[in-house]
Amino acid sequence: MPPRKRRASRARAENDGARDGDDARATRAVRAPYGVERRTIALSRGDGDGDGDGDGDGVACVDGACVARCVDGAVTVGGYALAASRATAEEVVVRSAAGMASATTCAARGGGGATLEFRAVRGGGAYAVCGAREARALGWTPTMVSRDWAHALTRVREAATRTREAFAAAFVGPKGVGKSTLARHAANVILRERGVCGWLDLDCGQPELTAPGMVSLTILRAPLLGPPQTHQASGAEFEGAPSAPLYASFVGDVSPQGDPDAYVEGALACVDAWAALGEDKPALVVNASGWVKGLGLELAEEILRAVGRSTESCYVININSHVASRNVPDDVYWFHDANVPETSNPRVTTYEVAAGFGTAPKGADAETEETSVETYENIANDASPGGTKSKDTKRSPSDSRALSWLAWSRQTVAMCNERPHEGALELDDLGENEAFAATAFDLTTATPWRVSFDDITLHVLQSDLDAREALMALNGAVVGLLKSAAPGRYCAECVGVGVVRGIDVDNRYVYILTPVSSEKLKSVTTLALGTLEFPPRLLGHAGEYPYMQVGAIANEGSGSKAIKSRNNILRQNTAPTRR
């Protein structure tokens, strides 16, 4: 069923099940139409700074892919400010996906009203726009900014307007506290003030702009208005797609733990690429890894010290979990190098903010390690007028990576079929399974690249395999596409990743699916094989998965997975005894 009809059916079904006595606003929300026509929405009042609680008429929510333009007043869209008074009518591309993440919000600014005009993106599907209360009645979770976060964003905005020097703003903290969300807003704030912003992505498990398993530096010239899967820079050229990374390194794993040295060297290469821009280097937003204990903390400190050597002003936004044991230790001095004179270190300003809405709900002392920004968004939504509970958009890291691979696959299909202006991931919650199945089928029919064994070198990361074992491991695997390493460097620049579709041993060919353009593929000399796992749902359609032997050990059952340590359980010989 096409997205437009599917969404319309969903809206009608939810409307039929609405309880009698719902107010008119909730009824309108359930009927919120998806369509491709132009539409206008008026935001009658704002809260002064564009970071409200989402309960007033000054906030609207967007689902789907569309282009927004402010025609009256002033608004903030995902941290990016738009005003009708500007000389030219600026448009921004919004790619929201309420079915898999929070819905993008548009908030009136300055205490007055505002009017926004929307249209569908070129070649895109349907989209919907409604007020915050209506959105919650639909089950969407609006992306809101707490006072804590708004204060930090204001400081970033002041830094961007106070001087034209290239400063760095690092977003640090444990996993699941909202680092990427707040960093996106900060990048949008800098883009509004300066027109360009650097993005250093150090999270190889759930990167913002690339496929998993990479660290990268990207120069942004347009705001990021949607979850990572909707604006992945893998090669396709759909409307609103960001530019390809200026520099990227292949880690080959979803965590730095596999090869910490290679991870650090790749990250430092990205920092060097930023520093090499000299006086033209933009302000830099650093999206740090969530590994902030032990070795992970040491790696982050080393990388940020390198960033600090190339700028005079640095800001640290430390996002704290409501579980104190998960947070960054208090004695960490980010960007500080003890081996140089104090006068040579940059000026560092640190802001401490809380995860999510900034205050824990009752019973916070009983929180678990899974506490995250989405948890508090949903709790806050439960208390919203109307009492409608928003859908829980929290996903496990592996589920989020699967969606990232789905986005990468859509771009791969578009590029392999020579349709570069297609490939954007447009998804609602009813179509996720269908999207995986359809994309898996498209991958099996896409035309791969044929590469001769004689033209490439196979580099196996983190293990030693002979030639026969390497070919067996390579079939159906994710590989990094690397250039030749620069002199004196351990790692090489990565132009993207690919999936090995098949191997012709007799004729010495390997067949690769990738969204990387032919011009960039000409520079590839090495295939790097790491430990990345491609989602089984994308390896075949209708349950027919190649590379999976019938009768092999399933994902469930004894011996099917590596044993994970349980450090929270006291062994019998160490457990305290009662006397």
Side-chain angles (χ1 to χ4, degrees), residues 437-468:
T439 303
F441 177 80
D442 291 341
L443 281 176
T444 61
T445 59
T447 304
W449 291 95
R450 188 179 68 179
V451 183
S452 172
F453 288 177
D454 300 326
D455 296 332
I456 57 170
T457 300
L458 177 60
H459 178 45
V460 181
L461 306 176
Q462 305 178 23
S463 62
D464 295 322
L465 299 177
D466 60 31
R468 180 176 178 276

Side-chain angles (χ1 to χ4, degrees), residues 260-348:
D261 292 334
Y263 170 80
V264 168
E265 176 131 5
L268 293 179
C270 294
V271 174
D272 290 344
W274 173 69
L277 297 175
E279 296 181 356
D280 295 329
K281 65 178 180 289
L284 185 68
V285 170
V286 183
N287 184 31
S289 168
W291 188 16
V292 293
K293 299 292 184 180
L295 178 59
L297 180 61
E298 295 177 13
L299 301 180
E301 287 181 294
E302 182 176 350
I303 297 168
L304 292 186
R305 277 197 296 270
V307 173
R309 288 193 285 268
S310 298
T311 182
E312 296 181 356
S313 298
C314 298
Y315 298 85
V316 178
I317 296 85
N318 183 23
I319 308 178
N320 293 295
S321 167
H322 303 283
V323 180
S325 61
R326 302 180 63 220
N327 295 328
V328 177
D330 295 332
D331 57 349
V332 176
Y333 297 95
W334 299 107
F335 297 104
H336 186 271
D337 190 346
N339 298 320
V340 301
E342 188 61 33
T343 55
S344 299
N345 280 306
R347 300 185 302 273
V348 180

